[in-house]
Amino acid sequence: MSKVKFSEFSKYSSEGGGNKYFSLKDKESASVRILYNTYDDIEGQLVHNIKIGDRYELITCPREDGDPYDKCVHCMNGNKPVLRVALPIYNEDAKQIQYWVRSGSYVEKEFKMVADLIVQQNKPIASQPYIIKRDGAGLDTKY
């Protein structure tokens, strides 16, 4: 199986298995299952948010921990990498697997508390359906 970088997910996400990014509009909600067994299974990627044309793309940072800045042109240009997690979810309403891209801090602060309650019951995270609701738009959005 070929590996696909996070920055290239959008090229493939609407083909093959019906996978695509999860999104909601203001006041919408969806029932989902987050497709992990434990919190420790979750992995993130350091990416750069780069403007290409009129939109922004997430580009994987090639630097490893401790590497010098000159290993990445974006780091050298002052574009600090950010942590993003593409959570694989099963959207029960749409009946398909999708990716919900969240910041590392969102996963750590908001999701971990809920996931830990499930895991403490000796159940996989995916065993619990979650209702995700969006409130707000733009930078004022809360889930």
Side-chain angles (χ1 to χ4, degrees), residues 25-43:
K25 294 179 180 156
D26 187 24
K27 305 296 183 207
E28 285 184 337
S29 64
S31 177
V32 305
R33 291 181 187 266
I34 299 171
L35 302 178
Y36 286 110
N37 289 322
T38 69
Y39 185 76
D40 292 330
D41 294 336
I42 300 171
E43 294 183 342

Side-chain angles (χ1 to χ4, degrees), residues 4 8 14 35 67 72 101 122 143:
V4 177
E8 299 172 335
S14 62
L35 302 178
D67 281 349
C72 174
V101 179
N122 293 321
Y143 289 95

Side-chain angles (χ1 to χ4, degrees), residues 1 6 9-10 13 17 30 43-44 54 58 70 74-75 80 83 88 91 94-96 99-100 107 110 116 133 139 141:
M1 179 182 297
F6 179 73
F9 278 13
S10 62
S13 63
E43 294 183 342
D54 62 342
L58 296 179
D70 63 359
H74 304 297
C75 287
K80 185 178 177 184
L83 180 61
N91 183 333
K95 306 227 180 306
Q96 63 182 204
Y99 294 97
W100 191 30
V107 173
E110 304 290 332
D116 281 347
K133 182 179 180 191
L139 295 175
T141 301

Side-chain angles (χ1 to χ4, degrees), residues 83-136:
L83 180 61
R84 292 292 180 259
V85 180
L87 295 168
I89 63 171
Y90 179 72
N91 183 333
E92 293 184 331
D93 298 338
K95 306 227 180 306
Q96 63 182 204
I97 294 173
Q98 299 174 327
Y99 294 97
W100 191 30
V101 179
R102 301 282 81 204
S103 68
S105 62
Y106 178 89
V107 173
E108 192 173 38
K109 293 175 185 171
E110 304 290 332
F111 177 67
K112 185 177 186 326
M113 181 176 54
V114 175
D116 281 347
L117 292 173
I118 302 304
V119 173
Q120 287 171 5
Q121 298 173 25
N122 293 321
K123 296 180 182 178
I125 293 170
S127 70
Q128 176 68 43
Y130 302 89
I131 301 295
I132 298 174
K133 182 179 180 191
R134 178 178 177 159
D135 284 315

